Amino acid sequence: MKLNALIQDIEITRSSGGFGDDITSLCFDSRNCKKGSLFFALKGSNSDGHNYIAQAISAGATAVICEKIPDKHFEEATMIETPDSHTALGMIASRFHNKPSEQLKVIGITGTNGKTTTVTLLYNLFTKMGYSCGLISTIENKIAETTIKATHTTPDPLQLNSLMKQMAEKGCEFCFMEVSSHALDQKRTAGIKFHGAIFSNITHDHLDYHNTFIEYIKAKKTLFDNLDSTALALVNIDDKNGNTMLQNCKASKHTYSCRADADFTCKVLESTVEGMLVRIGGQEVWTKFIGLHNAYNLLAVYSTSMLCGASRDEVLVVLSSLSCVPGRLEYVKGPGDLTAVIDYAHTPDALENVLKTLAEVAGERDLITVFGCGGDRDKTKRPEMAAIAEEYSSRIIVTTDNPRFEKPADIIEDIKRGFSGKRDLDKLYITDRREAIKLAIATAPSGSIVLIAGKGHETYQEIKGVREHFDDKEEVMNFFKMM
């Protein structure tokens, strides 16, 4: 595509050179540049692409998008200055791939918790109803029935538009995608036309990146601020920030709630460790999910399907057949009436939702919690998670999660500070996660529920920059076989 065709959507403050060259590839890593490449100089938290402009041109880049044209003159490449290279990347990536999001109905969901479950259930629901769909999630990406490994919750603009182009070419009608606060802040979704946006909730997370809770909320809100009048906006008004998302939003506005009057409502009528009965859309439905937070997820799915014109009766029938998402309240039955539950809960709110749910279904049975906290991330949530585990558990084993470059013992010390000692219960500290899980299962009384929290679907443990294979569910099943 000609450079002048690619840049027509972006703001240009200065330029040098001609706009008539053919562009054959886009890149923001100078090592990937070649003849015909358009290089984007992006400012990141760890590096600045402006420092690599010379390398990109030396490698053959035909043109450069940057926020400040270097003093050194490069005759061999066109230089284009723009106020925001990140936004330019998204806009140009969309046009380079023939604006694929405009050929799909893209539904994005943002929020601290529930994103993966909601988009996965939407994908499964609409697929079972006969639609061809795409999925972009933390766990995996899907182009109709083809699965592609996910590397980020929301991919970079180049990968994102490439995925959507493949979806459009495969005849997909819908694309259901998670939209993280990091992605919104970094303008990864610039140039994407959203048919609809869903807000689940906002709780304590990612303050290591956003610094303040206000900045975190602002990042989420940009998804709704950028919707046009043809789009739909669906928010959970039981979260006090739900209505905040709708302020200055041009899209048609819709609400859902499990506690108050709203456009769409749901009530949990009965709950066991294997499922729950809910009233949704005025109809009682048995589902294979448990917990109020999953009632919200199911309600978001139901509401979205109604707003997208699906048949109410068909949606309710299919909802009752759907199974849990891997690593999200996923249970494994063991000998001695033991139940192990694997969940991705790694924030205070998510851990409380899961423990509160399991405590209700456990009744008089023991609830044993195995958890840790990731290294090089928000440290303030560590004692909060300890206090929550202490409130609901019969016994606690604190262990490692993904320590990354932190010492596991230091992370555990941060967690310890949250224990008040108000309840007399056993607390053990075992840095080896495998041994922690093994001990929890081996010493659990008959009928107990053992929650293994923090990693969910992940099949690795990241230690000092190396990802070693580790799968919580795999470990549980191995230990059950040995009993």
Side-chain angles (χ1 to χ4, degrees), residues 412-464:
I412 290 174
E413 284 301 316
D414 287 340
I415 294 171
K416 278 185 180 181
R417 295 188 185 101
F419 292 130
S420 66
K422 291 179 182 177
R423 294 185 61 215
D424 183 21
L425 69 159
D426 288 339
K427 303 182 191 75
L428 299 175
Y429 307 96
I430 303 173
T431 55
D432 187 315
R433 190 174 180 92
R434 180 174 285 107
E435 290 301 315
I437 295 171
K438 181 178 180 180
L439 181 66
I441 291 172
T443 59
S446 178
S448 299
I449 296 176
V450 180
L451 170 65
I452 301 153
K455 293 184 61 58
H457 65 282
E458 291 180 350
T459 56
Y460 63 85
Q461 192 166 27
E462 188 173 336
I463 304 171
K464 294 182 178 178

Side-chain angles (χ1 to χ4, degrees), residues 256-258 260-267 279-282 299 302-303:
Y256 68 98
S257 169
C258 291
D261 288 336
D263 297 322
F264 302 96
T265 60
C266 177
K267 182 178 178 60
R279 182 182 294 116
I280 190 168
L299 180 56
Y302 172 81
S303 306

Side-chain angles (χ1 to χ4, degrees), residues 95-120:
R95 188 167 282 279
F96 185 79
H97 288 289
N98 197 27
K99 296 193 173 183
S101 63
E102 296 184 7
Q103 302 169 53
L104 304 161
K105 291 180 180 176
V106 181
I107 306 291
I109 177 168
T110 195
T112 307
N113 302 312
K115 297 190 298 296
T116 302
T117 297
T118 302
V119 295
T120 303

Side-chain angles (χ1 to χ4, degrees), residues 1-12 14-15 17-21 23 26 38 40 63-65 78-82 88 91-93 95-96:
M1 189 177 290
K2 296 292 185 184
L3 179 59
N4 55 9
L6 285 172
I7 62 175
Q8 59 185 285
D9 298 322
I10 71 167
E11 181 181 349
I12 299 173
R14 271 201 307 160
S15 66
F19 295 161
D21 289 321
I23 299 299
L26 310 179
L38 172 56
F40 295 82
V64 173
I65 300 280
T78 296
M79 307 297 294
I80 301 171
E81 186 177 281
T82 185
M91 302 296 288
I92 291 174
R95 188 167 282 279
F96 185 79

Side-chain angles (χ1 to χ4, degrees), residues 100-223:
S101 63
E102 296 184 7
Q103 302 169 53
L104 304 161
K105 291 180 180 176
V106 181
I107 306 291
I109 177 168
T110 195
T112 307
N113 302 312
K115 297 190 298 296
T116 302
T117 297
T118 302
V119 295
T120 303
L121 293 183
L122 280 167
Y123 170 86
N124 291 338
L125 174 76
F126 275 76
T127 298
K128 284 195 172 188
M129 292 193 300
Y131 295 91
S132 183
C133 303
L135 172 69
I136 297 173
S137 78
T138 301
I139 297 177
E140 62 187 3
N141 301 320
K142 281 182 171 288
I143 300 168
E145 300 300 323
T146 302
T147 300
I148 299 171
K149 185 177 180 181
T151 56
H152 293 80
T153 298
T154 309
D156 67 65
L158 301 184
Q159 185 185 7
L160 183 57
N161 281 278
S162 175
L163 285 168
M164 288 188 180
K165 180 182 180 181
Q166 294 175 68
M167 291 175 193
E169 289 174 345
K170 285 288 185 179
C172 293
E173 184 172 346
F174 289 93
C175 169
F176 302 107
M177 67 175 289
E178 294 185 55
V179 185
S180 69
S181 59
H182 292 69
L184 290 166
D185 183 65
Q186 296 166 10
K187 315 290 182 16
R188 289 185 224 160
T189 57
I192 300 298
K193 178 177 171 57
F194 285 94
H195 178 73
I198 307 166
F199 168 75
S200 60
N201 51 64
I202 287 185
T203 62
H204 192 155
D205 199 16
H206 300 309
L207 298 191
D208 54 307
Y209 177 88
H210 294 287
N211 297 318
T212 68
F213 197 61
I214 297 297
E215 292 303 313
Y216 184 35
I217 293 170
K218 285 181 179 178
K220 296 288 188 188
K221 190 177 182 307
T222 58
L223 177 61

